[in-house]
Amino acid sequence: VHSSHTALPNQHQRRGLWMWQQSTAGLTDNVSPAVHSQSFVHRSELKQAKRIVVKLGSAVVTRDECGLALGRLASIVEQVAMLQNQGREMMIVTSGAVAFGKQRLRHEILLSQSVRQALHSGQNQLKEMVIPVLEARACAAAGQSGLMALYEAMFTQYSTCTAQILVTNLDFHDEQKRRNLNSTLHELLRMNIVPIINTNDAVVPPPVPNSDLQGVNVISIKDNDSLAARLAVEMKADLLIALSDVEGLYDSPPGTDDAKLIDIFYPGDQQSITFGTKSRVGSGGMEAKVKAALWALQGGTSVVIANGTHPKVTGHVITDIVEGKKVGTFFSEVKPAGPTVEQQTEMARHAGRALASLDPEQVIVTPASRRHFLQILSTCQRLYSLISISSVGRLSQPLIDRLSLSTAKLNSLAIGLRQLAVSSRDSVGRVLRRTRVANNLELEQITVPIGVLLVIFESRPDCLPQVAALAIASGNALLLKGGKEASNTNKILHQLTQEALSIHGVADAIQLVSTREEVEDLCRLDKLIDLIIPRGSSQLVRTIQRAAKGIPVLGHSEGICHVYIDNDASIDKAIDVVRDSKCDYPAACNAMETLLIHRDLLRTPIFDQIIDMLRTENVKIHAGPRFASYLTFSPSEVKSLRTEYGDLECCIEVVDSMQDAVDHIHKYGSSHTDVIITENEETAEQFLQQVDSACVFWNASSRFADGYRFGLGAEVGISTARIHARGPVGLEGLLTTKWVLRGEGHTAADFSEQGSMKYLHENIPVPQGSFS
């Protein structure tokens, strides 16, 4: 059967075609890959890597240039064995034979010299011993067997078998030897054995200067970098992990000023790199590693260069790379159309500083125009219809409700932005206090933006304009990472935001991260981001709090809100407040999750009416342990009193007193929002003072815990932390302070005991609305 269309070969078929072309061409050093294989484009795809080559540089395997780093080696072996036991095919290209042999030979020479001197001198005092210069090939011959024995012993602990293979450049030039090598490696992998490959340094000829890697299309086996690249392509490996003593590839030598780690490196970017000297140990440098990596990439093997010596990450660096985490430098052939997230952050910071320097009258947040309003509403209604149709049985109704942007939501959003527009005039640069330190020396404390904010939110698209408006009003740069469920809506809202900012030339201050960046990767940008604000589920918040190593996180872990009905409560107020707290928007973090009822109210009209109301509203009731003990036939007993349902469900528990309710809230609550319903003012005041939550209400729904309802215009979230902002965080919570001192050549020495000046520290009145 003939066809006018030829099927494209798959990834391994293309690699096989290239290797066949190499062998038929004589396999010289100058052979170029005629057909490019398909390497992985994104880090997240590395999880699919089946065949992996791990290259261990001399700096990783050895310590102090002599002897082996046993701790590092053991953790690397553990990771390789774990991946092997997962069903992956692992190969190791290792250095270390020379260093291990040097250690052994030095020991033998010292021992031999000391014995000879003791025999011939007849004295206990020995002459100064001189260790001769050790030739590298002899060291390799002495160290290779010991290095392999060590690997074998370590892998045996994980029931993993190993095999040693020594190669030279000539083994790849001879077609029969190359085929034998290929066949041997495939057979070992088939038998679930980890091949450990090294250059045969005992017989390898000395390297010819400047003969290695003359361009990406040329490769010869001079060091283990080029060996690993050649082997990875020969074996059609999916991934090559090259471990050295640096974090990855930098745009200039590591340790120099302004040196930046490159997250993703693309072919053609070599001109932007300034390479330093080669490694202090081993025979390769970073330039050799990059050229070898690019050669492997052309052959269809993805490459990551990372640090294998850092004590905090060595134990999981290989597994982290395979899991797609942002570790080291990832080599990719496909360059994305847009900027990287690091570039976006830099753009946001630069534009944010320009935004903060604008006159307050210029930075007025205005609601969307009627045209924009209708555009947003039409788009959201269309997307909502598509979601409703395509998500039947897959998405819960509360999630669908959060994804929708109704007319009512947009109207509330517009009102909130108007409130924010008024308050934004008195934000950045406001003078908080003034002090006359001494004559002609004045000090001011003024409000300034925090810097670069990262807000990670899930399914609520109305979060984007709220947070963007707050960032603009406070002069902060902003990175937004939204959930994929609302990606189309988020793009439209972000475009409208940038349109408004472009009038003042600061459109880049608000960036929407739409790449495949994982949340954990964003949380590692501690040198670029100043504050992370998660908005979403408690699981999202906890994940970000764990992932953020050096960046402060503003948020609440859960929204376990309580409503306590006191024995002096009004029936009508109790029913209205409980209904609104639970049923108005059950998916919100300020919705009631636990209803506490005074014991005296059981089997009374108020109790019966509340239960009837909850059943009418289709609220599923769970019984707390004490409540269940009072009932013959009780609802299902709760598994935990620390449950955030986020739906038409709640827990009911019985307490003996107001103080009992306070103790319950402190034990099981999340310090979000808690409510008391009572007509006893003394009881209410005690509750308001004793409950240690961000929001505490009397005879009012928990749903009032909201920046818009508090008159803040909008909020970036609700914080339950006790440092900086707490409760609904609006404009004020996104500002910090700095101190400005104005003098006339004053020095600290002027105020010493021998100095001529004395401190005054007089407070100077600050005019209302004063800006610095």
Side-chain angles (χ1 to χ4, degrees), residues 669-682:
S670 60
S671 300
H672 191 294
T673 302
D674 298 291
V675 178
I676 183 172
I677 304 174
T678 185
E679 296 302 299
N680 188 316
E681 183 175 353
E682 182 180 352

Side-chain angles (χ1 to χ4, degrees), residues 188-202:
L188 292 173
L189 294 177
R190 187 187 66 81
M191 294 187 294
N192 200 34
I193 295 173
V194 177
I196 298 178
I197 305 104
N198 195 358
T199 52
N200 192 352
D201 293 324

